[in-house]
Each structure stands twice: as C-alpha cells, then as structure tokens.
C-alpha cells in the first residue's frame, strides 16, 4: 500500500495534527510524519516532495499556520496529490493560513480542508488511496455506515424526548 506523509511546519502544530495521524493509523495506512517548514527549512521540504513518489508515498498532507506556504511548496515539487490543513496559529484565527493554502495558481492544486480540519485531511487521504485499494474502500464504507447509524440513533433520542 502507498504511504501517506504528514508534514507540519512546526512542532507547535502537532497537538492539532495528531488527530490526523491517529485517524490515518486507525485506517491501517502506513504513515510518516515530519516537521519541515517552507520558510525555515525550504531545502528539506522541497527535497522531501521531490523524492516522495519514488519513496512510495501516494498522498502528502501539509499542515501549517500563519503565511502557510508549505502545501504550495510541496505541491510545486511533486505530482502526488497534496492536502493542505490550514492551522489556526495567529491573531487572524487561521484565515491567513486558509487563504495562503487554498488560493493556489492554476496548475499546482492543494486540496484544502477546513481550518484545523485534521480529521478530514486524513479521511480524504485514505479516500484517495482507496481508489486503488478495495479493502480500504470497504473500511471507509463501514465507517460511513457507522457514522450514519450514530446520527440516526441521536435523531431517535431527540425525537423520543421532544416530539408529540
Ligand atoms: C507556521 O508558523 C507553522 O506551521 C506554525 O503553525 C506557525 C508558528 O510556528 P512556530 O513559531 O510555533 O514554530 O510556519
């Protein structure tokens, strides 16, 4: 199975990014985690992206806050899909990171999830790998069915409490 890389701009992002790592591991996807910054360690970030396809990665996840260029820098240096997680790390509450991550020029996409959307980044990465992996796809369908059952159980509880 292809691996997923989770790259964060700083270890200060880890408390949030951990949700993404846990979700990937729960799905049984081989995961590799690094701290590389587009600004502070550009050579390492670029080198990782350039080597990622040959190293067996299928998807890269980039988490960064403030002027968040990590997703874009990774995407500029690989044709693997890059998922961006804008991190809420400044006085601008993550809007800065959201716009820096999502507003990519044509030709170099970064699939951007919500501000602090770490769980969805992991699920999206697994969905990408599941295109070519029937077991992963089955696991995702199972999870989706459980989520549906959970909501319907909550609906039944609320309905029993309030409905005439
Ligand atoms: C970004 O700046 C990082 O991704 C982090 O969200 C933010 C702050 O980094 P530190 O100053 O905590 O290292 O590049």
């Amino acid at each position: 199975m292809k691996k997923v890389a989770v790259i964060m701009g700083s270890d200060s992002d880890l408390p949030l990014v951990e949700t993404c790592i846990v979700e990937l591991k729960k799905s049984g996807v081989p995961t590799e985690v690094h701290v590389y910054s587009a600004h502070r360690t550009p050579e390492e970030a670029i080198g990782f992206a350039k080597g990622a396809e040959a190293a067996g990665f299928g998807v890269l996840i980039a988490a960064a806050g403030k002027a968040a260029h990590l997703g874009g820098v990774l995407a500029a240096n690989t044709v693997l899909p890059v998922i961006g997680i804008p991190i809420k790390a400044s006085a601008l509450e993550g809007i800065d990171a959201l716009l820096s991550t999502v507003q990519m020029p044509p030709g170099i996409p970064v699939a951007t999830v919500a501000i602090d959307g770490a769980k969805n980044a992991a699920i999206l990465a697994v969905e990408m790998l599941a295109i070519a992996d029937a077991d992963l796809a089955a696991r995702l369908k199972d999870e989706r069915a459980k989520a549906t059952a959970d909501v319907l159980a909550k609906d039944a509880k609320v309905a029993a409490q309030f409905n005439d």
Side-chain angles (χ1 to χ4, degrees), residues 71-113:
V73 164
L74 295 178
N77 287 283
T78 181
V79 293
L80 293 174
V82 175
I83 299 169
I85 310 173
I87 304 281
K88 183 161 50 174
S90 78
L92 297 184
E93 302 286 343
I95 295 292
D96 43 1
L98 172 64
L99 297 180
S100 307
T101 303
V102 78
Q103 287 291 74
M104 288 299 293
I108 312 290
V110 173
T112 306
V113 296

PDB file of all heavy atoms in Angstrom, residues 71-113:
ATOM      1  N   GLY A  71       1.989  23.700   1.920  1.00  0.00           N
ATOM      2  CA  GLY A  71       1.253  22.890   0.937  1.00  0.00           C
ATOM      3  C   GLY A  71       1.652  23.256  -0.481  1.00  0.00           C
ATOM      4  O   GLY A  71       1.910  22.389  -1.321  1.00  0.00           O
ATOM      5  N   GLY A  72       1.727  24.542  -0.746  1.00  0.00           N
ATOM      6  CA  GLY A  72       2.069  25.008  -2.092  1.00  0.00           C
ATOM      7  C   GLY A  72       3.479  24.618  -2.502  1.00  0.00           C
ATOM      8  O   GLY A  72       3.711  24.221  -3.647  1.00  0.00           O
ATOM      9  N   VAL A  73       4.409  24.720  -1.580  1.00  0.00           N
ATOM     10  CA  VAL A  73       5.803  24.373  -1.893  1.00  0.00           C
ATOM     11  C   VAL A  73       5.916  22.865  -2.169  1.00  0.00           C
ATOM     12  O   VAL A  73       6.591  22.442  -3.113  1.00  0.00           O
ATOM     13  CB  VAL A  73       6.745  24.814  -0.743  1.00  0.00           C
ATOM     14  CG1 VAL A  73       8.100  24.150  -0.848  1.00  0.00           C
ATOM     15  CG2 VAL A  73       6.895  26.331  -0.764  1.00  0.00           C
ATOM     16  N   LEU A  74       5.237  22.056  -1.361  1.00  0.00           N
ATOM     17  CA  LEU A  74       5.256  20.600  -1.617  1.00  0.00           C
ATOM     18  C   LEU A  74       4.621  20.317  -2.978  1.00  0.00           C
ATOM     19  O   LEU A  74       5.175  19.569  -3.795  1.00  0.00           O
ATOM     20  CB  LEU A  74       4.519  19.844  -0.503  1.00  0.00           C
ATOM     21  CG  LEU A  74       5.127  19.897   0.902  1.00  0.00           C
ATOM     22  CD1 LEU A  74       4.243  19.135   1.888  1.00  0.00           C
ATOM     23  CD2 LEU A  74       6.545  19.341   0.946  1.00  0.00           C
ATOM     24  N   ALA A  75       3.452  20.920  -3.220  1.00  0.00           N
ATOM     25  CA  ALA A  75       2.728  20.648  -4.466  1.00  0.00           C
ATOM     26  C   ALA A  75       3.528  21.074  -5.695  1.00  0.00           C
ATOM     27  O   ALA A  75       3.428  20.457  -6.760  1.00  0.00           O
ATOM     28  CB  ALA A  75       1.372  21.367  -4.445  1.00  0.00           C
ATOM     29  N   ALA A  76       4.323  22.136  -5.539  1.00  0.00           N
ATOM     30  CA  ALA A  76       5.129  22.623  -6.669  1.00  0.00           C
ATOM     31  C   ALA A  76       6.239  21.654  -7.042  1.00  0.00           C
ATOM     32  O   ALA A  76       6.805  21.744  -8.126  1.00  0.00           O
ATOM     33  CB  ALA A  76       5.730  23.981  -6.318  1.00  0.00           C
ATOM     34  N   ASN A  77       6.515  20.700  -6.133  1.00  0.00           N
ATOM     35  CA  ASN A  77       7.667  19.825  -6.334  1.00  0.00           C
ATOM     36  C   ASN A  77       7.319  18.356  -6.438  1.00  0.00           C
ATOM     37  O   ASN A  77       8.187  17.487  -6.295  1.00  0.00           O
ATOM     38  CB  ASN A  77       8.682  20.067  -5.213  1.00  0.00           C
ATOM     39  CG  ASN A  77       9.378  21.401  -5.392  1.00  0.00           C
ATOM     40  OD1 ASN A  77      10.269  21.528  -6.218  1.00  0.00           O
ATOM     41  ND2 ASN A  77       8.933  22.415  -4.663  1.00  0.00           N
ATOM     42  N   THR A  78       6.028  18.046  -6.655  1.00  0.00           N
ATOM     43  CA  THR A  78       5.597  16.663  -6.859  1.00  0.00           C
ATOM     44  C   THR A  78       4.276  16.685  -7.626  1.00  0.00           C
ATOM     45  O   THR A  78       3.558  17.689  -7.585  1.00  0.00           O
ATOM     46  CB  THR A  78       5.397  15.929  -5.516  1.00  0.00           C
ATOM     47  OG1 THR A  78       4.995  14.572  -5.772  1.00  0.00           O
ATOM     48  CG2 THR A  78       4.327  16.583  -4.652  1.00  0.00           C
ATOM     49  N   VAL A  79       3.972  15.582  -8.319  1.00  0.00           N
ATOM     50  CA  VAL A  79       2.633  15.483  -8.917  1.00  0.00           C
ATOM     51  C   VAL A  79       1.728  14.605  -8.058  1.00  0.00           C
ATOM     52  O   VAL A  79       0.585  14.317  -8.443  1.00  0.00           O
ATOM     53  CB  VAL A  79       2.684  14.939 -10.372  1.00  0.00           C
ATOM     54  CG1 VAL A  79       3.372  15.936 -11.291  1.00  0.00           C
ATOM     55  CG2 VAL A  79       3.344  13.567 -10.455  1.00  0.00           C
ATOM     56  N   LEU A  80       2.212  14.181  -6.896  1.00  0.00           N
ATOM     57  CA  LEU A  80       1.321  13.486  -5.956  1.00  0.00           C
ATOM     58  C   LEU A  80       0.292  14.486  -5.433  1.00  0.00           C
ATOM     59  O   LEU A  80       0.592  15.683  -5.308  1.00  0.00           O
ATOM     60  CB  LEU A  80       2.124  12.943  -4.765  1.00  0.00           C
ATOM     61  CG  LEU A  80       3.124  11.827  -5.067  1.00  0.00           C
ATOM     62  CD1 LEU A  80       3.939  11.503  -3.814  1.00  0.00           C
ATOM     63  CD2 LEU A  80       2.413  10.576  -5.565  1.00  0.00           C
ATOM     64  N   PRO A  81      -0.928  14.001  -5.098  1.00  0.00           N
ATOM     65  CA  PRO A  81      -1.896  14.931  -4.515  1.00  0.00           C
ATOM     66  C   PRO A  81      -1.422  15.442  -3.155  1.00  0.00           C
ATOM     67  O   PRO A  81      -0.899  14.676  -2.342  1.00  0.00           O
ATOM     68  CB  PRO A  81      -3.174  14.088  -4.371  1.00  0.00           C
ATOM     69  CG  PRO A  81      -2.784  12.670  -4.578  1.00  0.00           C
ATOM     70  CD  PRO A  81      -1.471  12.643  -5.279  1.00  0.00           C
ATOM     71  N   VAL A  82      -1.603  16.743  -2.945  1.00  0.00           N
ATOM     72  CA  VAL A  82      -1.238  17.373  -1.669  1.00  0.00           C
ATOM     73  C   VAL A  82      -2.513  17.903  -1.025  1.00  0.00           C
ATOM     74  O   VAL A  82      -3.290  18.630  -1.665  1.00  0.00           O
ATOM     75  CB  VAL A  82      -0.234  18.523  -1.886  1.00  0.00           C
ATOM     76  CG1 VAL A  82       0.042  19.255  -0.564  1.00  0.00           C
ATOM     77  CG2 VAL A  82       1.071  17.984  -2.477  1.00  0.00           C
ATOM     78  N   ILE A  83      -2.706  17.526   0.236  1.00  0.00           N
ATOM     79  CA  ILE A  83      -3.852  18.021   1.015  1.00  0.00           C
ATOM     80  C   ILE A  83      -3.317  19.028   2.024  1.00  0.00           C
ATOM     81  O   ILE A  83      -2.369  18.741   2.755  1.00  0.00           O
ATOM     82  CB  ILE A  83      -4.554  16.860   1.747  1.00  0.00           C
ATOM     83  CG1 ILE A  83      -5.097  15.828   0.739  1.00  0.00           C
ATOM     84  CG2 ILE A  83      -5.687  17.393   2.637  1.00  0.00           C
ATOM     85  CD1 ILE A  83      -5.576  14.535   1.377  1.00  0.00           C
ATOM     86  N   GLY A  84      -3.922  20.212   2.065  1.00  0.00           N
ATOM     87  CA  GLY A  84      -3.470  21.248   2.992  1.00  0.00           C
ATOM     88  C   GLY A  84      -4.397  21.371   4.186  1.00  0.00           C
ATOM     89  O   GLY A  84      -5.621  21.375   4.028  1.00  0.00           O
ATOM     90  N   ILE A  85      -3.800  21.452   5.373  1.00  0.00           N
ATOM     91  CA  ILE A  85      -4.575  21.760   6.588  1.00  0.00           C
ATOM     92  C   ILE A  85      -4.132  23.145   7.074  1.00  0.00           C
ATOM     93  O   ILE A  85      -3.015  23.302   7.572  1.00  0.00           O
ATOM     94  CB  ILE A  85      -4.318  20.765   7.746  1.00  0.00           C
ATOM     95  CG1 ILE A  85      -4.434  19.319   7.298  1.00  0.00           C
ATOM     96  CG2 ILE A  85      -5.267  21.059   8.908  1.00  0.00           C
ATOM     97  CD1 ILE A  85      -4.017  18.308   8.383  1.00  0.00           C
ATOM     98  N   PRO A  86      -5.002  24.158   6.915  1.00  0.00           N
ATOM     99  CA  PRO A  86      -4.661  25.471   7.461  1.00  0.00           C
ATOM    100  C   PRO A  86      -4.825  25.432   8.986  1.00  0.00           C
ATOM    101  O   PRO A  86      -5.876  25.032   9.488  1.00  0.00           O
ATOM    102  CB  PRO A  86      -5.701  26.404   6.833  1.00  0.00           C
ATOM    103  CG  PRO A  86      -6.517  25.569   5.891  1.00  0.00           C
ATOM    104  CD  PRO A  86      -6.326  24.146   6.268  1.00  0.00           C
ATOM    105  N   ILE A  87      -3.754  25.835   9.691  1.00  0.00           N
ATOM    106  CA  ILE A  87      -3.784  25.755  11.156  1.00  0.00           C
ATOM    107  C   ILE A  87      -4.089  27.133  11.747  1.00  0.00           C
ATOM    108  O   ILE A  87      -3.543  28.143  11.302  1.00  0.00           O
ATOM    109  CB  ILE A  87      -2.412  25.273  11.700  1.00  0.00           C
ATOM    110  CG1 ILE A  87      -2.025  23.916  11.074  1.00  0.00           C
ATOM    111  CG2 ILE A  87      -2.409  25.213  13.219  1.00  0.00           C
ATOM    112  CD1 ILE A  87      -2.693  22.722  11.661  1.00  0.00           C
ATOM    113  N   LYS A  88      -4.957  27.111  12.772  1.00  0.00           N
ATOM    114  CA  LYS A  88      -5.273  28.358  13.486  1.00  0.00           C
ATOM    115  C   LYS A  88      -4.116  28.656  14.448  1.00  0.00           C
ATOM    116  O   LYS A  88      -4.025  28.050  15.515  1.00  0.00           O
ATOM    117  CB  LYS A  88      -6.590  28.197  14.257  1.00  0.00           C
ATOM    118  CG  LYS A  88      -7.017  29.432  14.961  1.00  0.00           C
ATOM    119  CD  LYS A  88      -8.498  29.458  15.344  1.00  0.00           C
ATOM    120  CE  LYS A  88      -8.989  28.229  16.061  1.00  0.00           C
ATOM    121  NZ  LYS A  88     -10.364  28.353  16.537  1.00  0.00           N
ATOM    122  N   ALA A  89      -3.187  29.546  14.040  1.00  0.00           N
ATOM    123  CA  ALA A  89      -1.967  29.733  14.833  1.00  0.00           C
ATOM    124  C   ALA A  89      -1.628  31.202  15.037  1.00  0.00           C
ATOM    125  O   ALA A  89      -0.521  31.515  15.459  1.00  0.00           O
ATOM    126  CB  ALA A  89      -0.796  29.037  14.134  1.00  0.00           C
ATOM    127  N   SER A  90      -2.566  32.099  14.740  1.00  0.00           N
ATOM    128  CA  SER A  90      -2.197  33.515  14.844  1.00  0.00           C
ATOM    129  C   SER A  90      -3.401  34.355  15.244  1.00  0.00           C
ATOM    130  O   SER A  90      -4.511  33.834  15.401  1.00  0.00           O
ATOM    131  CB  SER A  90      -1.699  34.009  13.481  1.00  0.00           C
ATOM    132  OG  SER A  90      -2.803  34.260  12.638  1.00  0.00           O
ATOM    133  N   ALA A  91      -3.181  35.665  15.322  1.00  0.00           N
ATOM    134  CA  ALA A  91      -4.261  36.597  15.661  1.00  0.00           C
ATOM    135  C   ALA A  91      -5.370  36.575  14.618  1.00  0.00           C
ATOM    136  O   ALA A  91      -6.483  37.014  14.873  1.00  0.00           O
ATOM    137  CB  ALA A  91      -3.694  38.003  15.776  1.00  0.00           C
ATOM    138  N   LEU A  92      -5.074  36.055  13.417  1.00  0.00           N
ATOM    139  CA  LEU A  92      -6.086  36.024  12.349  1.00  0.00           C
ATOM    140  C   LEU A  92      -6.909  34.739  12.373  1.00  0.00           C
ATOM    141  O   LEU A  92      -7.696  34.475  11.452  1.00  0.00           O
ATOM    142  CB  LEU A  92      -5.409  36.222  10.985  1.00  0.00           C
ATOM    143  CG  LEU A  92      -4.715  37.572  10.798  1.00  0.00           C
ATOM    144  CD1 LEU A  92      -4.152  37.709   9.386  1.00  0.00           C
ATOM    145  CD2 LEU A  92      -5.662  38.731  11.081  1.00  0.00           C
ATOM    146  N   GLU A  93      -6.727  33.934  13.419  1.00  0.00           N
ATOM    147  CA  GLU A  93      -7.594  32.764  13.664  1.00  0.00           C
ATOM    148  C   GLU A  93      -7.590  31.720  12.553  1.00  0.00           C
ATOM    149  O   GLU A  93      -8.564  30.994  12.356  1.00  0.00           O
ATOM    150  CB  GLU A  93      -9.053  33.213  13.920  1.00  0.00           C
ATOM    151  CG  GLU A  93      -9.223  34.166  15.094  1.00  0.00           C
ATOM    152  CD  GLU A  93      -9.075  33.468  16.446  1.00  0.00           C
ATOM    153  OE1 GLU A  93      -9.168  32.236  16.497  1.00  0.00           O
ATOM    154  OE2 GLU A  93      -8.810  34.173  17.434  1.00  0.00           O
ATOM    155  N   GLY A  94      -6.536  31.690  11.753  1.00  0.00           N
ATOM    156  CA  GLY A  94      -6.442  30.648  10.717  1.00  0.00           C
ATOM    157  C   GLY A  94      -6.887  31.095   9.340  1.00  0.00           C
ATOM    158  O   GLY A  94      -6.672  30.384   8.356  1.00  0.00           O
ATOM    159  N   ILE A  95      -7.522  32.278   9.256  1.00  0.00           N
ATOM    160  CA  ILE A  95      -7.940  32.798   7.943  1.00  0.00           C
ATOM    161  C   ILE A  95      -6.708  33.043   7.066  1.00  0.00           C
ATOM    162  O   ILE A  95      -6.716  32.805   5.857  1.00  0.00           O
ATOM    163  CB  ILE A  95      -8.749  34.113   8.101  1.00  0.00           C
ATOM    164  CG1 ILE A  95     -10.065  33.849   8.830  1.00  0.00           C
ATOM    165  CG2 ILE A  95      -9.026  34.755   6.746  1.00  0.00           C
ATOM    166  CD1 ILE A  95     -11.075  33.025   8.068  1.00  0.00           C
ATOM    167  N   ASP A  96      -5.630  33.518   7.692  1.00  0.00           N
ATOM    168  CA  ASP A  96      -4.372  33.728   6.958  1.00  0.00           C
ATOM    169  C   ASP A  96      -3.881  32.422   6.339  1.00  0.00           C
ATOM    170  O   ASP A  96      -3.545  32.346   5.151  1.00  0.00           O
ATOM    171  CB  ASP A  96      -3.299  34.343   7.875  1.00  0.00           C
ATOM    172  CG  ASP A  96      -3.243  33.710   9.267  1.00  0.00           C
ATOM    173  OD1 ASP A  96      -4.023  32.771   9.536  1.00  0.00           O
ATOM    174  OD2 ASP A  96      -2.409  34.136  10.083  1.00  0.00           O
ATOM    175  N   ALA A  97      -3.858  31.368   7.150  1.00  0.00           N
ATOM    176  CA  ALA A  97      -3.365  30.066   6.672  1.00  0.00           C
ATOM    177  C   ALA A  97      -4.316  29.467   5.626  1.00  0.00           C
ATOM    178  O   ALA A  97      -3.884  28.855   4.646  1.00  0.00           O
ATOM    179  CB  ALA A  97      -3.206  29.101   7.842  1.00  0.00           C
ATOM    180  N   LEU A  98      -5.636  29.668   5.848  1.00  0.00           N
ATOM    181  CA  LEU A  98      -6.620  29.151   4.883  1.00  0.00           C
ATOM    182  C   LEU A  98      -6.386  29.761   3.502  1.00  0.00           C
ATOM    183  O   LEU A  98      -6.289  29.046   2.494  1.00  0.00           O
ATOM    184  CB  LEU A  98      -8.038  29.458   5.366  1.00  0.00           C
ATOM    185  CG  LEU A  98      -9.163  29.149   4.378  1.00  0.00           C
ATOM    186  CD1 LEU A  98      -9.251  27.659   4.083  1.00  0.00           C
ATOM    187  CD2 LEU A  98     -10.505  29.659   4.892  1.00  0.00           C
ATOM    188  N   LEU A  99      -6.282  31.094   3.465  1.00  0.00           N
ATOM    189  CA  LEU A  99      -6.119  31.751   2.165  1.00  0.00           C
ATOM    190  C   LEU A  99      -4.768  31.417   1.539  1.00  0.00           C
ATOM    191  O   LEU A  99      -4.669  31.197   0.328  1.00  0.00           O
ATOM    192  CB  LEU A  99      -6.298  33.269   2.317  1.00  0.00           C
ATOM    193  CG  LEU A  99      -7.694  33.705   2.796  1.00  0.00           C
ATOM    194  CD1 LEU A  99      -7.766  35.217   2.920  1.00  0.00           C
ATOM    195  CD2 LEU A  99      -8.786  33.197   1.867  1.00  0.00           C
ATOM    196  N   SER A 100      -3.724  31.352   2.344  1.00  0.00           N
ATOM    197  CA  SER A 100      -2.396  31.026   1.812  1.00  0.00           C
ATOM    198  C   SER A 100      -2.357  29.621   1.230  1.00  0.00           C
ATOM    199  O   SER A 100      -1.618  29.342   0.296  1.00  0.00           O
ATOM    200  CB  SER A 100      -1.330  31.112   2.913  1.00  0.00           C
ATOM    201  OG  SER A 100      -1.362  32.330   3.564  1.00  0.00           O
ATOM    202  N   THR A 101      -3.153  28.733   1.814  1.00  0.00           N
ATOM    203  CA  THR A 101      -3.127  27.326   1.383  1.00  0.00           C
ATOM    204  C   THR A 101      -4.057  27.088   0.200  1.00  0.00           C
ATOM    205  O   THR A 101      -3.708  26.357  -0.736  1.00  0.00           O
ATOM    206  CB  THR A 101      -3.522  26.413   2.563  1.00  0.00           C
ATOM    207  OG1 THR A 101      -2.635  26.666   3.657  1.00  0.00           O
ATOM    208  CG2 THR A 101      -3.423  24.932   2.191  1.00  0.00           C
ATOM    209  N   VAL A 102      -5.220  27.701   0.231  1.00  0.00           N
ATOM    210  CA  VAL A 102      -6.250  27.363  -0.759  1.00  0.00           C
ATOM    211  C   VAL A 102      -6.095  28.127  -2.080  1.00  0.00           C
ATOM    212  O   VAL A 102      -6.472  27.618  -3.147  1.00  0.00           O
ATOM    213  CB  VAL A 102      -7.666  27.573  -0.169  1.00  0.00           C
ATOM    214  CG1 VAL A 102      -8.071  29.049  -0.151  1.00  0.00           C
ATOM    215  CG2 VAL A 102      -8.705  26.757  -0.922  1.00  0.00           C
ATOM    216  N   GLN A 103      -5.528  29.326  -2.029  1.00  0.00           N
ATOM    217  CA  GLN A 103      -5.539  30.194  -3.217  1.00  0.00           C
ATOM    218  C   GLN A 103      -4.354  29.902  -4.137  1.00  0.00           C
ATOM    219  O   GLN A 103      -3.556  30.795  -4.459  1.00  0.00           O
ATOM    220  CB  GLN A 103      -5.533  31.666  -2.785  1.00  0.00           C
ATOM    221  CG  GLN A 103      -6.874  32.130  -2.202  1.00  0.00           C
ATOM    222  CD  GLN A 103      -7.976  32.212  -3.221  1.00  0.00           C
ATOM    223  OE1 GLN A 103      -8.511  31.209  -3.663  1.00  0.00           O
ATOM    224  NE2 GLN A 103      -8.337  33.404  -3.636  1.00  0.00           N
ATOM    225  N   MET A 104      -4.250  28.656  -4.570  1.00  0.00           N
ATOM    226  CA  MET A 104      -3.124  28.250  -5.416  1.00  0.00           C
ATOM    227  C   MET A 104      -3.367  28.633  -6.870  1.00  0.00           C
ATOM    228  O   MET A 104      -4.503  28.626  -7.348  1.00  0.00           O
ATOM    229  CB  MET A 104      -2.928  26.736  -5.307  1.00  0.00           C
ATOM    230  CG  MET A 104      -2.355  26.305  -3.960  1.00  0.00           C
ATOM    231  SD  MET A 104      -0.731  27.001  -3.646  1.00  0.00           S
ATOM    232  CE  MET A 104       0.252  26.174  -4.883  1.00  0.00           C
ATOM    233  N   PRO A 105      -2.310  28.959  -7.591  1.00  0.00           N
ATOM    234  CA  PRO A 105      -2.482  29.299  -9.009  1.00  0.00           C
ATOM    235  C   PRO A 105      -2.803  28.052  -9.828  1.00  0.00           C
ATOM    236  O   PRO A 105      -2.438  26.940  -9.423  1.00  0.00           O
ATOM    237  CB  PRO A 105      -1.104  29.866  -9.398  1.00  0.00           C
ATOM    238  CG  PRO A 105      -0.156  29.261  -8.424  1.00  0.00           C
ATOM    239  CD  PRO A 105      -0.908  29.057  -7.154  1.00  0.00           C
ATOM    240  N   PRO A 106      -3.473  28.228 -10.974  1.00  0.00           N
ATOM    241  CA  PRO A 106      -3.825  27.081 -11.814  1.00  0.00           C
ATOM    242  C   PRO A 106      -2.598  26.252 -12.163  1.00  0.00           C
ATOM    243  O   PRO A 106      -1.545  26.794 -12.497  1.00  0.00           O
ATOM    244  CB  PRO A 106      -4.421  27.728 -13.074  1.00  0.00           C
ATOM    245  CG  PRO A 106      -4.879  29.071 -12.632  1.00  0.00           C
ATOM    246  CD  PRO A 106      -3.947  29.501 -11.529  1.00  0.00           C
ATOM    247  N   GLY A 107      -2.734  24.934 -12.052  1.00  0.00           N
ATOM    248  CA  GLY A 107      -1.632  24.029 -12.390  1.00  0.00           C
ATOM    249  C   GLY A 107      -0.997  23.381 -11.185  1.00  0.00           C
ATOM    250  O   GLY A 107      -0.388  22.316 -11.294  1.00  0.00           O
ATOM    251  N   ILE A 108      -1.128  24.033 -10.021  1.00  0.00           N
ATOM    252  CA  ILE A 108      -0.488  23.493  -8.809  1.00  0.00           C
ATOM    253  C   ILE A 108      -1.545  23.446  -7.693  1.00  0.00           C
ATOM    254  O   ILE A 108      -1.556  24.302  -6.796  1.00  0.00           O
ATOM    255  CB  ILE A 108       0.711  24.369  -8.355  1.00  0.00           C
ATOM    256  CG1 ILE A 108       1.643  24.708  -9.515  1.00  0.00           C
ATOM    257  CG2 ILE A 108       1.483  23.671  -7.233  1.00  0.00           C
ATOM    258  CD1 ILE A 108       2.441  23.516 -10.056  1.00  0.00           C
ATOM    259  N   PRO A 109      -2.442  22.444  -7.725  1.00  0.00           N
ATOM    260  CA  PRO A 109      -3.519  22.434  -6.729  1.00  0.00           C
ATOM    261  C   PRO A 109      -3.066  21.952  -5.352  1.00  0.00           C
ATOM    262  O   PRO A 109      -2.177  21.109  -5.238  1.00  0.00           O
ATOM    263  CB  PRO A 109      -4.526  21.431  -7.323  1.00  0.00           C
ATOM    264  CG  PRO A 109      -3.704  20.536  -8.187  1.00  0.00           C
ATOM    265  CD  PRO A 109      -2.568  21.366  -8.712  1.00  0.00           C
ATOM    266  N   VAL A 110      -3.705  22.505  -4.330  1.00  0.00           N
ATOM    267  CA  VAL A 110      -3.604  21.962  -2.968  1.00  0.00           C
ATOM    268  C   VAL A 110      -5.046  21.766  -2.492  1.00  0.00           C
ATOM    269  O   VAL A 110      -5.811  22.730  -2.405  1.00  0.00           O
ATOM    270  CB  VAL A 110      -2.842  22.921  -2.020  1.00  0.00           C
ATOM    271  CG1 VAL A 110      -2.911  22.396  -0.579  1.00  0.00           C
ATOM    272  CG2 VAL A 110      -1.389  23.072  -2.454  1.00  0.00           C
ATOM    273  N   ALA A 111      -5.413  20.519  -2.229  1.00  0.00           N
ATOM    274  CA  ALA A 111      -6.777  20.197  -1.796  1.00  0.00           C
ATOM    275  C   ALA A 111      -6.905  20.601  -0.329  1.00  0.00           C
ATOM    276  O   ALA A 111      -6.416  19.908   0.563  1.00  0.00           O
ATOM    277  CB  ALA A 111      -7.044  18.703  -1.966  1.00  0.00           C
ATOM    278  N   THR A 112      -7.552  21.738  -0.103  1.00  0.00           N
ATOM    279  CA  THR A 112      -7.513  22.354   1.229  1.00  0.00           C
ATOM    280  C   THR A 112      -8.757  21.995   2.030  1.00  0.00           C
ATOM    281  O   THR A 112      -9.883  22.184   1.569  1.00  0.00           O
ATOM    282  CB  THR A 112      -7.396  23.888   1.073  1.00  0.00           C
ATOM    283  OG1 THR A 112      -6.269  24.166   0.246  1.00  0.00           O
ATOM    284  CG2 THR A 112      -7.228  24.565   2.414  1.00  0.00           C
ATOM    285  N   VAL A 113      -8.541  21.491   3.249  1.00  0.00           N
ATOM    286  CA  VAL A 113      -9.657  21.200   4.143  1.00  0.00           C
ATOM    287  C   VAL A 113      -9.907  22.422   5.026  1.00  0.00           C
ATOM    288  O   VAL A 113      -9.241  23.448   4.889  1.00  0.00           O
ATOM    289  CB  VAL A 113      -9.383  19.925   4.992  1.00  0.00           C
ATOM    290  CG1 VAL A 113      -9.277  18.699   4.099  1.00  0.00           C
ATOM    291  CG2 VAL A 113      -8.142  20.077   5.865  1.00  0.00           C
TER     292      VAL A 113
END
